[in-house]
């Protein structure tokens, strides 16, 4: 894997963006800004630089990043990564009752906070996802904004790990 990070450091900005522009849901601007900050000494450093691009961005950009995420369990067109992640948590096989409950929770959350409920679903079940929404609905807007961003960072890290695993085969 160390050889691969050195290879990535030598890629053109366009190639870097093509490979990593989707780590953060429909927000290639993060990879674009990080591309110019190479070389990275490790994958962890690359993710830290990308995370810093988000944290240093204006509130409006952060909010737009959060709003790019699909509702969990939604039956809409979404990125391949989101489809795979949600299927892994069983959200592609909700009963009509489970779907309606999750839809109502998502709507309540979005109305309350102004962005969709975001959770790195790896290791979660349908039930634990619904429980998480209920718990997070009790938080303040500022606390939930920070939590949502941290979940975005977890999702991006999981996607990078998946990318690396696929290249190691």
């Amino acid at each position: 894997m160390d050889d691969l990070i050195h290879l990535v450091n030598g890629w053109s900005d366009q190639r870097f963006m093509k490979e990593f522009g989707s780590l953060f849901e429909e927000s290639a601007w993060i990879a674009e800004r990080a591309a110019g900050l190479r070389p990275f000494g490790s994958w962890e450093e690359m993710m830290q630089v990308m995370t810093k691009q988000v944290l240093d961005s204006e509130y409006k950009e952060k909010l737009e990043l959060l709003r790019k995420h699909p509702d969990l369990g939604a039956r809409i067109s979404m990125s391949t990564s989101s489809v795979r992640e949600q299927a892994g948590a069983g959200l592609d096989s909700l009963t009509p009752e489970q779907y309606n409950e999750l839809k109502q929770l998502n709507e309540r959350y979005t109305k309350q906070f102004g962005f969709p409920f975001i959770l790195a679903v790896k290791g979660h079940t349908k039930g634990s996802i619904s429980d998480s929404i209920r718990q997070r609905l009790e938080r303040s807007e500022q606390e939930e904004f920070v939590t949502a961003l941290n979940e975005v960072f977890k999702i991006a890290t999981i996607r990078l790990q998946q990318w690396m695993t696929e290249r190691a085969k």
Side-chain angles (χ1 to χ4, degrees), residues 102-163:
L102 192 55
K103 184 176 184 244
Q104 289 173 354
L105 287 169
N106 277 319
E107 288 170 356
R108 185 173 155 211
Y109 182 96
T110 301
K111 183 177 181 185
Q112 183 171 329
F113 296 112
F115 52 87
F117 176 75
I118 301 169
L119 179 70
V121 296
K122 186 174 184 178
H124 279 276
T125 64
K126 299 173 222 180
S128 69
I129 291 167
S130 294
D131 290 344
S132 293
I133 296 176
R134 285 187 196 90
Q135 290 169 0
R136 287 172 52 186
L137 278 164
E138 302 302 318
R139 295 184 178 175
S140 71
E141 188 174 329
Q142 181 179 0
E143 184 179 21
E144 194 52 29
F145 189 84
V146 170
T147 299
L149 281 176
N150 285 328
E151 291 298 318
V152 167
F153 300 146
K154 288 179 194 175
I155 293 166
T157 300
I158 291 166
R159 289 177 179 178
L160 177 60
Q161 290 167 344
Q162 229 169 5
W163 183 92

Side-chain angles (χ1 to χ4, degrees), residues 5-6 8-9 16 34-35 37-43 45-46 49:
I5 191 73
H6 295 298
V8 166
N9 284 329
F16 184 86
L37 300 172
R38 290 175 289 164
F40 304 120
S42 66
W43 296 107
E45 182 184 344
M46 184 178 108
V49 167

Side-chain angles (χ1 to χ4, degrees), residues 73-89:
R75 295 177 179 160
I76 59 168
S77 176
M78 61 182 88
S79 73
T80 304
S81 295
S82 288
V83 170
R84 181 174 43 217
E85 292 155 3
Q86 291 197 29

Side-chain angles (χ1 to χ4, degrees), residues 11-24:
W11 286 349
S12 68
D13 288 357
Q14 292 78 17
R15 172 79 189 274
F16 184 86
M17 287 178 50
K18 180 180 182 234
E19 294 293 329
F20 302 116
S22 63
L23 291 180
F24 292 82

